[in-house]
Amino acid sequence: MKNIIIFGAPGSGKGTYSEEIKNRYGMGHISTGDVLRAAIKNGTELGKIAQGYIDNGQLIPDQLMIDILAKQYDSIAVSGKGVIFDGFPRTIAQADALKQMLAERGHQLGMMIELIVSEDVLMERLLRRAQLEGRADDNEETIRKRFAVYHSQTEPLSKWFAAEGIRHTFDWSVCKTKEGMLEAIFKEIEKENGLGRMV
Ligand code: AMP
């Protein structure tokens, strides 16, 4: 399986769709947000550094994230089944580093899946998630900061992936349901991997 980068704003469903793709194709999965939250919970050095940034809706410095990502990748990429990158890259510098890291290992970026969801739907979802999961950064003030960071630092990457010729976009306003999104995403993954139609 080709590597997959799941890309989208906070609340666009990166974690949810990553989980579904992982279960369907038996791929590896790296969620940088989950790695950071686990580090905070366990009180590690990384967790202490990450906490301030996350609580403020800001991004963790690139070099730190790139080092974490490379370590995670090397620990799970051995299966040869492809890896889902969820929440990474979030800046052009991270994308350049990811491309280089993969090339050094004789691997490729694979395909990028962009989830497009309007901001009012995103806000509604994140406030609902706040009630269900109690994530510290899911409050309205921090969510607004995360949207601003997304627009200024992460969204420009969409064009970077388009220039790589690997961007595939999926629009919530067209697919309308989680099932509709999944059907479109699976179909595209199977086309990219020459699997024939399995949905
Ligand atoms: P997520 O769970 O992907 O929404 O990430 C939660 C928070 O973790 C983000 O708002 C950032 O503060 C931090 N984070 C996760 N991934 C990255 C990354 N690739 N680069 C910088 N910060 C990140």
Side-chain angles (χ1 to χ4, degrees), residues 10-11 14 31-34 36-37 50 53-55 57-62 65 86-91 94 129 135 137 146:
K14 296 188 294 294
S31 158
T32 43
D34 284 351
L36 296 169
R37 280 184 289 278
Y53 291 101
I54 292 189
D55 289 351
Q58 304 299 312
L59 298 183
I60 277 73
D62 282 334
M65 285 315 300
D86 162 6
F88 188 100
R90 265 177 152 98
T91 63
Q94 291 182 14
R129 184 170 77 183
R135 250 177 73 165
D137 57 347
R146 286 157 65 203

Side-chain angles (χ1 to χ4, degrees), residues 124-140:
E124 204 184 294
R125 283 188 192 171
L126 289 167
L127 292 176
R128 201 174 333 122
R129 184 170 77 183
Q131 289 175 344
L132 296 173
E133 297 175 20
R135 250 177 73 165
D137 57 347
D138 281 346
N139 61 78
E140 191 161 348

Side-chain angles (χ1 to χ4, degrees), residues 66-188:
I66 290 163
D67 292 346
I68 293 168
L69 198 275
K71 258 191 223 142
Q72 292 279 323
Y73 184 75
D74 286 332
S75 67
I76 68 164
V78 284
S79 70
K81 289 208 160 177
V83 170
I84 305 162
F85 297 97
D86 162 6
F88 188 100
R90 265 177 152 98
T91 63
I92 303 271
Q94 291 182 14
D96 286 333
L98 177 62
K99 188 177 172 186
Q100 191 190 329
M101 182 205 84
L102 291 169
E104 282 165 1
R105 289 155 178 77
H107 301 171
Q108 288 180 338
L109 286 168
M111 63 187 293
M112 177 271 220
I113 290 177
E114 179 167 10
L115 307 170
I116 297 173
V117 185
S118 69
E119 211 149 281
D120 49 336
V121 174
L122 293 171
M123 180 58 89
E124 204 184 294
R125 283 188 192 171
L126 289 167
L127 292 176
R128 201 174 333 122
R129 184 170 77 183
Q131 289 175 344
L132 296 173
E133 297 175 20
R135 250 177 73 165
D137 57 347
D138 281 346
N139 61 78
E140 191 161 348
E141 191 191 343
T142 312
I143 292 168
R144 296 251 174 249
K145 286 188 197 162
R146 286 157 65 203
F147 284 166
V149 165
Y150 178 75
H151 290 312
S152 63
Q153 299 189 56
T154 306
E155 211 172 21
L157 258 181
S158 175
K159 285 203 176 106
W160 187 96
F161 283 106
E164 291 286 322
I166 61 168
R167 181 178 68 177
H168 304 259
T169 54
F170 300 88
D171 191 331
W172 176 258
S173 70
V174 174
C175 295
K176 294 193 168 45
T177 60
K178 179 181 163 188
E179 290 68 33
M181 288 286 280
L182 275 176
E183 180 171 354
I185 291 170
F186 288 155
K187 194 173 155 193
E188 196 74 359

Side-chain angles (χ1 to χ4, degrees), residues 14-70:
K14 296 188 294 294
T16 303
Y17 296 116
S18 293
E19 204 57 35
E20 297 278 353
I21 296 168
K22 173 182 134 182
N23 292 340
R24 188 174 176 95
Y25 305 108
M27 298 174 72
H29 175 210
I30 303 173
S31 158
T32 43
D34 284 351
V35 171
L36 296 169
R37 280 184 289 278
I40 291 173
K41 196 166 157 223
N42 295 328
T44 65
E45 269 318 297
L46 169 64
K48 284 178 200 149
I49 297 169
Q51 177 126 47
Y53 291 101
I54 292 189
D55 289 351
N56 252 314
Q58 304 299 312
L59 298 183
I60 277 73
D62 282 334
Q63 197 51 54
L64 183 55
M65 285 315 300
I66 290 163
D67 292 346
I68 293 168
L69 198 275

